[in-house]
Amino acid sequence: MDLRLSIAQTNPVLGDISKNLEEHLRLARAAAADGADLVLFPELSLTGYFLRDQVFDLAMYLDAPELEPLLELSKAVSIVFGMAERHRDGRCFNSMVFLEDGKVLGVHRKVHLVSYGMFDESRDFAPGEEWNTIESRLGRFGLFLCEDLWHLDGQYVRILDRVDALLVASAGPGRGVGPQEGAQGFESLGTWRTLLSAAAMHSLSYVAWANRVGFEDGVAFSGGSALFGPDGRLRTTLDGLEEGELSVSLTSAELHRARQRTPLLRDGRPELVRRALGSAPPQATDGDSAAS
């Protein structure tokens, strides 16, 4: 895996697929002209985030004619973007779509919907049901949508799949204003960086994060898009609350060095996890007694 990645930190217009699509095409063309092999956009980058009652109207099938320009452009540069996906059985998903060589190479449907605090995703979206690995001509990728990365199950499946990079798209709001030097002043960005760094160290892979900016429904999205190396160190980030792009290189040589220096993948014992899960009691809910 040796590639040039462009991380696009965008501010999608809520509900305006036409305008957002135009921006996707502009940024992807510019990235391709600059030598990028892959472009990563934030969560729900084609629609905006707080869709609520607009979900059913804005959700599209993967073969929708509106996506044809992106499919055509993916012959020049691979594209990962976010959309509200309509399924043939009537369900709608918060989806992350990987386009390459003029076709849909893979889709990740958000598994862990957020339904606490200011979020109510399960009201309008169905949860995804699998952790699939994207087999690209550029490498092996694990896709995560925001909350997905906060749960260890998806990370561990991708670790066992020996992915080269985790591609994380989010619409993360800025919360907890405080003295966070180099993190836009948001405590939440410091938390995200800790999480992304840990994911990189555990998986011994690159972790690329595209987080949106802008305002919707009184909520400020904090940006801070970044790349972490397989050693867990922050390689580069976008400071400030503006739109922008990061252009970064990912190399097989760095992956090999990290995995040779710290052979966590070699020394893992997944059979013990499988055995423990097979004998584990049903997962307790908040209302269950631990002793019951």
Side-chain angles (χ1 to χ4, degrees):
M1 185 202 67
D2 296 279
L3 66 100
R4 193 75 181 165
L5 170 67
S6 177
I7 302 174
Q9 181 168 285
T10 61
N11 178 15
V13 179
L14 184 63
D16 195 335
I17 289 178
S18 179
K19 189 174 183 63
N20 295 329
L21 176 60
E22 184 178 309
E23 182 70 355
H24 280 59
L25 294 171
R26 183 186 71 81
L27 291 171
R29 289 189 184 112
D34 195 41
D37 302 292
L38 174 65
V39 185
L40 173 64
F41 288 92
E43 179 179 15
L44 291 172
S45 57
L46 207 57
T47 60
Y49 180 76
F50 285 111
L51 298 174
R52 297 191 172 93
D53 293 339
Q54 297 184 79
V55 168
F56 193 78
D57 294 327
L58 296 173
M60 295 185 293
Y61 296 115
L62 292 176
D63 59 358
E66 291 89 341
L67 300 180
E68 283 299 325
L70 280 175
L71 284 164
E72 183 64 27
L73 186 53
S74 74
K75 296 176 182 178
V77 59
S78 300
I79 303 169
V80 183
F81 69 98
M83 65 176 284
E85 179 200 354
R86 186 189 303 279
H87 201 265
R88 299 295 174 186
D89 63 11
R91 290 179 295 172
C92 293
F93 296 96
N94 180 343
S95 295
M96 192 174 177
V97 184
F98 197 117
L99 306 181
E100 188 171 277
D101 296 331
K103 61 180 181 292
V104 176
L105 190 64
V107 181
H108 171 66
R109 299 176 176 100
K110 193 170 187 177
V111 172
H112 296 288
L113 299 175
V114 191
S115 294
Y116 57 82
M118 69 180 74
F119 306 104
D120 193 14
E121 293 179 358
S122 59
R123 171 183 177 269
D124 302 303
F125 292 111
E129 297 173 344
E130 60 181 346
W131 297 110
N132 56 327
T133 295
I134 304 298
E135 299 281 358
S136 162
R137 59 180 171 79
L138 302 171
R140 294 168 60 83
F141 300 99
L143 274 53
F144 293 81
L145 276 163
C146 204
E147 180 79 4
D148 287 336
L149 195 70
W150 291 75
H151 298 261
L152 294 177
D153 48 355
Q155 289 189 46
Y156 192 54
V157 170
R158 269 60 181 281
I159 290 171
L160 295 181
D161 269 353
R162 301 295 198 266
V163 296
D164 300 313
L166 310 182
L167 303 181
V168 185
S170 69
R175 290 179 287 187
V177 177
Q180 295 289 322
E181 183 178 351
Q184 279 95 291
F186 288 116
E187 183 178 327
S188 55
L189 264 181
T191 302
W192 260 107
R193 288 183 179 177
T194 299
L195 177 66
L196 293 159
S197 174
M201 284 191 289
H202 287 150
S203 63
L204 290 168
S205 68
Y206 288 99
V207 176
W209 181 43
N211 188 38
R212 65 159 294 183
V213 291
F215 290 85
E216 275 183 21
D217 201 21
V219 174
F221 297 95
S222 59
S225 301
L227 177 77
F228 288 79
D231 57 1
R233 295 181 182 178
L234 177 65
R235 290 288 188 272
T236 184
T237 186
L238 276 170
D239 286 323
L241 299 173
E242 304 298 325
E243 298 174 78
E245 300 82 46
L246 283 175
S247 182
V248 292
S249 292
L250 287 64
T251 69
S252 296
E254 187 174 14
L255 280 177
H256 292 326
R257 284 196 300 271
R259 293 174 180 184
Q260 187 175 41
R261 184 169 55 247
T262 310
L264 299 180
L265 303 180
R266 183 197 69 188
D267 297 341
R269 298 291 303 278
E271 73 278 6
L272 301 184
V273 177
R274 188 180 302 113
R275 187 187 309 163
L277 290 175
S279 61
Q283 184 178 359
T285 63
D286 289 343
D288 291 336
S289 167
S292 63

